Amino acid sequence: MPRPQKCRRVAYLPPVTYFKPAGIPLGSLEEVVLTVEEAEALRLKDIEGLEQGESAEKMNISRSTFQRVLASARQKIADAILNGKAVNIKGGNFEMAFHRFRCRRGHEWDLATPVDATPESCPTCSTEDVQPVPVTGKGYAGRGWGKHRGQNI
Ligand SMILES: [Zn+2]
């Protein structure tokens, strides 16, 4: 039995999860699968410009694990771009770093919180009728909020 992997913490879900090169017939198109935590590693290091240690801390993993995840992500992106492959962002082993809440009047907001603590009132209209909602989005249907394994998406 392989040791169960520690969940990587992810704070961002890419809005677009499939990239296809132009001008390649679908039949001969190869696909690279980038996991959600690999996308997060790229975001932290290459978009946010964080140091490796900081990025590792945000994802709740060791520096060496972060380095591995990042190297794998870059290798896949390079492979896709240079060899004309599609990129599919999905799956992996992660938990969301935020919870989403909605008030009775329909306002929604995300809270970066490690626990399932429902806020007392809506930050927009101050109503106290607030409920947690599952985080969903294109390519992520059915995902729950909070601690959630990503294998089934
Ligand atoms: Zn509200």
Side-chain angles (χ1 to χ4, degrees):
M1 278 273 288
R3 242 187 323 162
Q5 254 187 339
K6 200 171 157 190
C7 256
R8 290 83 190 264
R9 192 180 300 152
V10 165
Y12 180 80
L13 299 174
V16 175
T17 58
Y18 203 89
F19 300 86
K20 180 186 173 300
I24 310 249
L26 205 61
S28 56
L29 194 63
E30 281 187 72
E31 183 182 291
V32 167
V33 174
L34 191 73
T35 65
V36 172
E37 65 259 27
E38 284 170 343
E40 177 73 345
L42 283 176
R43 185 183 74 87
L44 292 172
K45 190 74 174 62
D46 296 338
I47 306 292
E48 300 282 319
L50 299 183
E51 297 298 327
Q52 197 149 298
E54 246 179 313
S55 304
E57 210 169 286
K58 281 200 185 291
M59 291 184 72
N60 202 26
I61 54 182
S62 70
R63 272 167 186 257
S64 59
T65 301
F66 180 81
Q67 199 162 9
R68 242 183 2 257
V69 173
L70 182 67
S72 167
R74 286 176 173 168
Q75 195 274 329
K76 287 178 180 179
I77 297 298
D79 179 35
I81 289 173
L82 297 173
N83 296 317
K85 297 178 182 177
V87 178
N88 192 359
I89 305 177
K90 65 171 185 182
N93 180 31
F94 64 95
E95 63 182 31
M96 294 307 298
F98 60 83
H99 299 160
R100 178 162 294 177
F101 299 96
R102 183 192 291 143
C103 83
R104 179 167 47 90
R105 297 182 188 169
H107 303 121
E108 279 192 23
W109 69 100
D110 293 329
L111 264 194
T113 161
V115 290
D116 286 274
T118 302
E120 285 185 6
S121 61
C122 170
T124 306
C125 67
S126 298
T127 178
E128 288 175 12
D129 194 351
V130 169
Q131 293 204 325
V133 287
V135 177
T136 56
K138 211 175 175 197
Y140 302 104
R143 179 201 305 283
W145 69 92
K147 195 170 175 64
H148 184 91
R149 303 261 168 180
Q151 288 99 333
N152 300 324
I153 64 170

